[in-house]
Amino acid sequence: MSYTALFLRFLRFGVMAFGGPVAQIAMIRRELVDEERWISSARFNRLLAVLQVLPGPEAHELCVHLGVRAKGRIGGVLAGLGFMLPGFVLMLALAWLYTRLRIEQTVLGAVFLGVQAAVLAVVIRAVHRIGEHILHDLWLWAVAGLSAAASLAGVTFWIVLPAAGAAYALASAGRYGLAAAIIMVAGAAGAALAMGSDVPAAAAAIAKTAPPTSMELFWTGLKGGLLTFGGAYTAIPFVRNDSAGRGWMTDAQFLDGLALSGILPAPLVIFATFVGWVCGGPAGALAITAGMFLPAFAFSIVLYERLEELAEHKRLQSFLGGVAAGVVGIIAVTVLDLARTLIARTPGIGVSLVIFAVALAIMYRWKSKLSTPAVLALGALVGGAAFR
């Protein structure tokens, strides 16, 4: 297979990548494992188990790994680019259109209000699903709860997540005293940092309204890419903290970006492209997308020969399991923040609650790759009729 043929093969996968990671992985498995035998089914399963432990969108990392297997590291880059390119181009077009249309006080604004209520239901279902895979013992539940409490108290995730990983690794090894000490030290460090970051109000206002540089947006995407454990939805709190949290965009715009990413043939983390465009135009979109996808390329290309060995590294897995549990706690708090924002700006909260409840019921009852687009379409229809 030539480099061009390899790129086009994975570009076709990207064009057909609707329905989220489960549908994307099933499509790749059917064609490259079951039909063409690029890799044995047993090795595919082991590889997938490793990629689910590592941060990043599993389907994209899988494409990069298979590309390396077929044509070396250049092949890995081409396979990854081919898979992400259709969704990236479509999101660029949607973001460009979004920033040029009048949204507020229009039917389009009413449509997006309805969609935002449905997006919350989609995210809550995703958090539950992620939690089911990650929180499989009481210690992990405790780590998630403590991480959520720390996040509510304003402790930065740079303290929360390393402490979550270390505490769980120690507790799972029976070293409960050291685990408790780690938690207490992290709590004290978080409190001290919060007390020491008393910035004057004027300086804080200037910082919040200053437009981001491309390097800042790249760093935002890189943080999201490095901390995407258990599913693309876990990137939400880190990207939102840097974008809406700094005043670069509103929570409403952030929810709109999540909604648009749910209907595209791409990993959900493509919402970062929308965030980058709204915050920093075309250069910002390229920068944040590069940061978000860089770890997904790097893990599969740099660690190609050693990926399966990571599955046998119990201490590393325990640490990453604790970090993943901490991410679940943080994203739960982020969902509450987004819900409060939506409630504050919705003219008819009763309608939003109905959209949310019906969308949530559909997400739980209808296990199909069409469920997310269906509930987003429902939210758009009801919102457009009720809020205009």
Side-chain angles (χ1 to χ4, degrees), residues 33-377:
V33 179
D34 298 339
E35 296 176 5
E36 300 184 21
R37 306 294 182 184
W38 281 39
I39 186 173
S40 71
S41 180
R43 188 167 186 182
F44 182 90
N45 291 339
R46 291 197 302 271
L47 174 62
L48 191 57
V50 176
L51 295 179
Q52 287 172 338
V53 172
L54 296 175
E58 297 99 323
H60 182 268
E61 289 175 325
L62 191 60
C63 289
V64 175
H65 185 90
L66 292 172
V68 175
R69 187 176 179 83
K71 291 289 289 182
R73 285 173 168 78
I74 295 176
V77 172
L78 292 173
L81 288 175
F83 185 71
M84 66 173 286
L85 190 60
F88 174 66
V89 171
L90 288 171
M91 183 56 90
L92 284 178
L94 289 175
W96 173 82
L97 189 62
Y98 180 91
T99 53
R100 276 154 181 77
L101 293 175
R102 183 167 171 262
I103 304 292
E104 297 296 328
Q105 307 301 320
T106 66
V107 173
L108 191 58
V111 166
F112 274 113
L113 272 178
V115 169
Q116 288 165 17
V119 167
L120 280 179
V122 173
V123 175
I124 287 175
R125 178 66 184 108
V127 174
H128 185 192
R129 188 182 296 113
I130 291 165
E132 287 179 327
H133 290 293
I134 291 175
L135 308 180
H136 50 75
D137 65 42
L138 288 176
W139 289 114
L140 288 169
W141 275 98
V143 167
L146 289 171
S147 298
S151 184
L152 281 171
V155 180
T156 175
F157 66 84
W158 291 116
I159 293 176
V160 172
L161 295 183
Y168 177 69
L170 291 167
S172 60
R175 306 175 73 176
Y176 306 120
L178 280 175
I182 289 288
I183 292 171
M184 288 188 288
V185 169
L193 192 62
M195 292 175 62
S197 60
D198 186 16
V199 182
I206 292 172
K208 286 178 72 67
T209 56
T213 64
S214 293
M215 184 54 67
E216 286 176 316
L217 287 169
F218 173 81
W219 178 236
T220 294
L222 186 61
K223 283 189 289 185
L226 287 171
L227 297 170
T228 308
F229 289 93
Y233 285 90
T234 56
I236 290 173
F238 312 110
V239 178
R240 180 207 173 235
N241 181 67
D242 275 5
S243 55
R246 296 187 183 184
W248 297 344
M249 67 190 305
T250 66
D251 273 332
Q253 292 172 321
F254 187 84
L255 285 169
D256 292 340
L258 285 176
L260 293 174
S261 67
I263 62 174
L264 294 181
L268 184 97
V269 292
I270 205 69
F271 78 85
T273 302
F274 178 91
V275 171
W277 187 288
V278 172
C279 296
L286 290 171
I288 198 171
T289 305
M292 180 64 76
F293 281 90
L294 180 60
F297 279 100
F299 284 125
S300 287
I301 291 175
V302 177
L303 301 176
Y304 174 73
E305 293 88 354
R306 299 185 178 274
L307 275 181
E308 292 184 31
E309 294 177 17
L310 293 177
E312 306 302 323
H313 200 300
K314 299 301 181 185
R315 290 183 181 178
L316 178 61
Q317 284 216 16
S318 293
F319 177 81
L320 293 178
V323 172
V327 171
V328 172
I330 291 174
I331 192 175
V333 173
T334 301
V335 171
L336 291 176
D337 290 340
L338 291 171
R340 281 198 294 263
T341 300
L342 181 61
I343 290 170
R345 65 184 301 270
T346 301
I349 188 60
V351 176
S352 289
L353 286 174
V354 169
I355 295 172
F356 171 79
V358 173
L360 192 62
I362 292 173
M363 292 302 300
Y364 272 92
R365 299 288 295 177
W366 189 23
K367 294 176 172 58
S368 165
K369 64 182 181 181
L370 298 176
S371 57
T372 296
V375 299
L376 296 180

